[in-house]
Amino acid sequence: MQSTKVLNATFKRLRDALTHNAMESIIAVVIAICVAFVALAKANAKSTAQSPNIDYAKYRAAYAKPVEQWAKPTLDKSVESEWEEFAPLPKSAPFPKENPYSYAKKTLGEKLFNDTRLSKSGQFACASCHHKELGYSDGMPNSMGHNGQKGRRNAPNIEMSGFFPLLFWDGRAQGLEAQALGPMIDPVEMANTLKNAEKSIKEASEYYALFVASFGDSELQKAWALSEPNAFKEAKGEDYERFVQEHIREDFGDNARDLDSGESRQKSSLDSSLDSKVKNIANEIKQESKTPLPKTTKAKTTKDEKPMPQNADDSHSKLSHLPPLKRDEVKAQAQAVFGNKAFHKLTRVDSSKIDFSQNASKNVVADFVPKSSPKSTTKPPAKPISRANIARAKALITIENITKAIATYERTLVPQNTRFNRFLKGEYSALSDKELFGLDIFRNKGECMNCHYGAILSDKKFHNIGVAFYGRGLEDLGRYEVSQNPIDSGAFRTPSLVNVSKSAPYLHNGISPNLVGLIHLYDAAFPFADTKRFSIGYDASKDSLAPKLDPLIRELKLSVEEIEALEAFLLTL
């Protein structure tokens, strides 16, 4: 039944692909039918025969131990010198010096990755073609883009993209920063201009704190930490406390208070660093404190007859217009030197009306003591973002920083909880006997490790496996379109197999709907070769662009049990 479904799907793909002209299509279909019937007959014969006695214990003994103790796999001589053994997945891809990791930058990149404002229509984001639930692919043979246009290639799984020096199926982008630009300006995908993409993010105020936390210098970040503490703390995330330790306390002392309330982390001591204007005001309050408070404004007193604030927010509400550092200095000066009575009187002053100039009147504080002091029932409104802070944040919103943030996020897309990764870390019960048998097929008879090896399960190279459809309806010459070297005709980048079970359909054009179908194609060495074999009189030897099948692609002659076991193993990756 499984073989029948695979063959039906193959017929459909072949019918759609082989449309160069009517004669070619007829001949192709006839050949495909003949090949299909032969394959179906062989599959039925194998399925009715008694299954061989597979010694699963042998495979468990061979692989249920540290990977460095495994026997070397079967390899082609051409890859022996560069082949790498399997290894547990790292936490993330390496970060370049020009774009180091930060939590804020990763958070910003994830937000941009999901933002449709980067597209011309406002309908498409990076995540539109790379869904987390689908292995960061989209489940379609060819993705849909701007104005319903159909792309020419399959959206690949990007989870391991940070490990590849060349991106896209044809390797036209060097690094993730360059790759992120491609979809934005592609007329079939997001169809935008870089200028418009940048402008749309500049106009989104929710990005300001994130760009400051990701790309701002320490001085700008300190300014935001003090004036916009809640937004900055959220943007900084797990790096917030370290930032406070390295910068805020470094400048303002060890007795720093929480910035969440908008106050400074400084608790000033009485030394020569206090602002002279603050001292002048405090001295004048001292003089005023000799006069008893009016009856209408007399404060409640404690047992020792010292006035106390009428409510917990009294001091904050009366000084709320002062900058955080200035407010703490005024409060500390008045309370510590002149006592609670003077401090209480100071808190009754509308500090927004205090003149801090050199020529301020000595009676300026007394002049603005209110006749009554109603209780504060609500906290003062949050300070709006200053124009200067907005301008400095906007200056950081550039297309270069946008792509750096997206690239940073993508470098963290390394799954950790795959069953095979757990197995490599020593959880040997994570794989069944059948899956271990499939692991052995992958390493030996299936010859998969010629191209899929190391921690990322890819050689990062370009190979022509036989799906360029040269001279036919789905023609795609792959790497040649970038390099213009005939040797690259029909070659495509070897994808990582990490989480391969989630990212169907497969191949650069999405013609293989499932893993078992893909295995059958490799097993048969891709019978629809990269030549115009269906054109009468065609001579491939005289065509310099005729794709040449990679010598690593050869018939495998796997049994039904081996194909099923190999598929089972691939599902654990």
Side-chain angles (χ1 to χ4, degrees):
M1 182 62 69
Q2 183 79 328
S3 298
T4 303
K5 291 181 179 179
V6 172
L7 292 170
N8 288 338
T10 303
F11 290 154
K12 185 177 183 303
R13 301 292 184 190
L14 285 171
R15 182 194 64 200
D16 295 340
L18 303 172
T19 56
H20 184 63
N21 56 48
M23 181 60 70
E24 290 180 8
S25 297
I26 293 172
I27 296 174
V29 170
V30 171
I31 293 175
I33 291 174
C34 294
V35 171
F37 273 115
V38 172
L40 184 59
K42 290 172 68 177
N44 288 335
K46 289 180 179 179
S47 63
T48 56
Q50 185 177 0
S51 298
N53 185 20
I54 301 173
D55 186 3
Y56 290 119
K58 178 181 72 174
Y59 299 112
R60 185 159 294 280
Y63 297 112
K65 57 186 177 182
V67 66
E68 56 268 19
Q69 298 178 20
W70 295 2
K72 189 176 180 179
T74 301
L75 298 171
D76 189 86
K77 290 183 179 180
S78 63
V79 302
E80 286 184 344
S81 62
E82 55 201 28
W83 169 84
E84 297 176 5
E85 183 55 275
F86 289 137
L89 290 167
K91 294 294 184 182
S92 70
F95 294 90
K97 291 181 180 180
E98 60 274 14
N99 189 20
Y101 171 84
S102 75
Y103 179 88
K105 199 187 300 180
K106 184 205 76 171
T107 303
L108 170 61
E110 182 176 9
K111 186 175 179 66
L112 291 166
F113 187 87
N114 290 278
D115 199 326
T116 58
R117 283 174 287 195
L118 290 175
S119 66
K120 180 179 181 180
S121 64
Q123 298 177 339
F124 295 94
C126 304
S128 299
C129 295
H130 301 284
H131 302 277
K132 181 178 181 180
E133 297 78 9
L134 298 175
Y136 289 90
S137 183
D138 63 2
M140 302 173 64
N142 305 97
S143 300
M144 304 298 291
H146 184 69
N147 282 340
Q149 298 177 85
K150 184 179 179 181
R152 64 188 292 231
R153 290 176 179 162
N154 175 258
N157 178 349
I158 64 169
E159 282 184 298
M160 306 299 291
S161 57
F163 294 93
F164 290 84
L166 301 177
L167 281 304
F168 293 114
W169 282 104
D170 55 17
R172 64 184 181 273
Q174 295 189 18
L176 281 172
E177 288 78 6
Q179 186 277 332
L181 293 172
M184 291 185 206
I185 60 177
D186 190 302
V188 177
E189 296 184 54
M190 299 170 107
N192 211 348
T193 65
L194 298 183
K195 182 178 180 180
N196 285 340
E198 180 182 295
K199 181 181 178 183
S200 67
I201 303 302
K202 279 183 182 288
E203 294 174 350
S205 60
E206 66 266 31
Y207 277 109
Y208 297 161
L210 278 166
F211 272 91
V212 169
S214 300
F215 299 104
D217 59 30
S218 60
E219 290 302 317
L220 180 58
Q221 290 193 31
K222 282 188 286 186
W224 274 72
L226 296 172
S227 64
E228 303 296 335
N230 293 333
F232 183 79
K233 182 176 182 179
E234 182 179 358
K236 206 68 176 173
E238 65 185 25
D239 293 334
Y240 175 76
E241 290 300 329
R242 182 174 59 188
F243 175 83
V244 169
Q245 290 287 347
E246 293 178 356
H247 298 288
I248 303 298
R249 289 195 175 98
E250 174 185 294
D251 288 356
F252 303 128
D254 292 330
N255 297 321
R257 287 197 297 247
D258 194 352
L259 287 170
D260 288 348
S261 64
E263 295 184 13
S264 166
R265 282 183 166 261
Q266 162 71 4
K267 191 173 186 179
S268 300
S269 59
L270 302 176
D271 57 26
S272 58
S273 65
L274 287 176
D275 194 303
S276 61
K277 298 170 187 176
V278 177
K279 291 181 179 179
N280 290 338
I281 292 175
N283 283 324
E284 294 183 21
I285 293 174
K286 179 181 179 181
Q287 298 299 322
E288 289 295 320
S289 66
K290 296 178 181 179
T291 303
L293 291 172
K295 292 182 180 180
T296 56
T297 59
K298 186 174 182 179
K300 296 179 181 179
T301 60
T302 59
K303 291 181 179 180
D304 57 357
E305 297 301 318
K306 291 183 179 180
M308 59 186 294
Q310 293 185 14
N311 61 64
D313 291 328
D314 190 50
S315 62
H316 298 288
S317 63
K318 299 304 179 184
L319 300 176
S320 62
H321 295 286
L322 288 177
L325 289 178
K326 192 73 66 180
R327 181 166 60 245
D328 272 3
E329 290 172 347
V330 171
K331 289 163 58 178
Q333 179 82 37
Q335 188 172 19
V337 177
F338 305 114
N340 285 334
K341 184 176 181 180
F343 169 68
H344 177 64
K345 190 162 187 176
L346 173 62
T347 62
R348 290 178 170 278
V349 178
D350 186 350
S351 55
S352 65
K353 298 179 180 179
I354 295 177
D355 182 4
F356 283 96
S357 67
Q358 295 283 352
N359 299 320
S361 168
K362 291 187 177 182
N363 295 320
V364 67
V365 176
D367 290 343
F368 291 113
V369 174
K371 294 182 180 180
S372 62
S373 180
K375 292 185 178 181
S376 174
T377 58
T378 60
K379 291 184 177 181
K383 284 182 61 178
I385 300 175
S386 68
R387 291 183 179 181
N389 270 341
I390 292 176
R392 297 178 73 184
K394 280 188 171 183
L396 295 173
I397 302 178
T398 64
I399 199 65
E400 179 183 4
N401 285 343
I402 288 172
T403 56
K404 281 185 175 181
I406 293 174
T408 298
Y409 168 64
E410 291 179 332
R411 288 189 174 97
T412 67
L413 300 180
V414 180
Q416 297 296 313
N417 200 36
T418 68
R419 285 197 291 130
F420 187 57
N421 197 44
R422 285 156 40 202
F423 182 86
L424 290 175
K425 291 181 177 181
E427 188 182 331
Y428 299 127
S429 62
L431 267 61
S432 68
D433 290 343
K434 183 177 183 179
E435 290 161 350
L436 288 176
F437 178 38
L439 167 60
D440 190 77
I441 300 300
F442 187 96
R443 293 175 64 84
N444 295 295
K445 187 175 180 180
E447 301 184 358
C448 306
M449 290 207 85
N450 283 329
C451 298
H452 298 280
Y453 53 71
I456 70 169
L457 300 175
S458 173
D459 63 1
K460 309 176 189 177
K461 294 184 177 181
F462 298 84
H463 299 276
N464 170 28
I465 64 173
V467 288
F469 292 100
Y470 183 56
R472 286 169 277 170
L474 289 181
E475 178 181 286
D476 190 338
L477 300 186
R479 181 65 177 162
Y480 168 77
E481 296 180 3
V482 178
S483 69
Q484 297 297 299
N485 187 342
I487 199 173
D488 292 328
S489 182
F492 295 89
R493 194 192 68 180
T494 305
S496 169
L497 295 183
V498 175
N499 256 345
V500 67
S501 63
K502 295 183 178 180
S503 56
Y506 304 102
L507 302 176
H508 73 275
N509 47 20
I511 64 170
S512 183
N514 49 46
L515 278 175
V516 69
L518 184 61
I519 295 171
H520 275 289
L521 291 177
Y522 275 100
D523 182 48
F526 289 87
F528 36 97
D530 287 334
T531 65
K532 298 179 182 178
R533 64 163 66 185
F534 304 114
S535 298
I536 298 175
Y538 170 71
D539 184 358
S541 64
K542 297 180 180 180
D543 189 346
S544 62
L545 284 184
K548 297 175 177 58
L549 194 67
D550 194 295
L552 295 175
I553 301 299
R554 45 200 175 224
E555 192 174 358
L556 301 174
K557 299 181 180 179
L558 300 175
S559 68
V560 171
E561 292 79 16
E562 289 168 338
I563 289 175
E564 291 177 350
L566 181 55
E567 179 193 20
F569 169 67
L570 292 176
L571 294 175
T572 72
L573 298 178

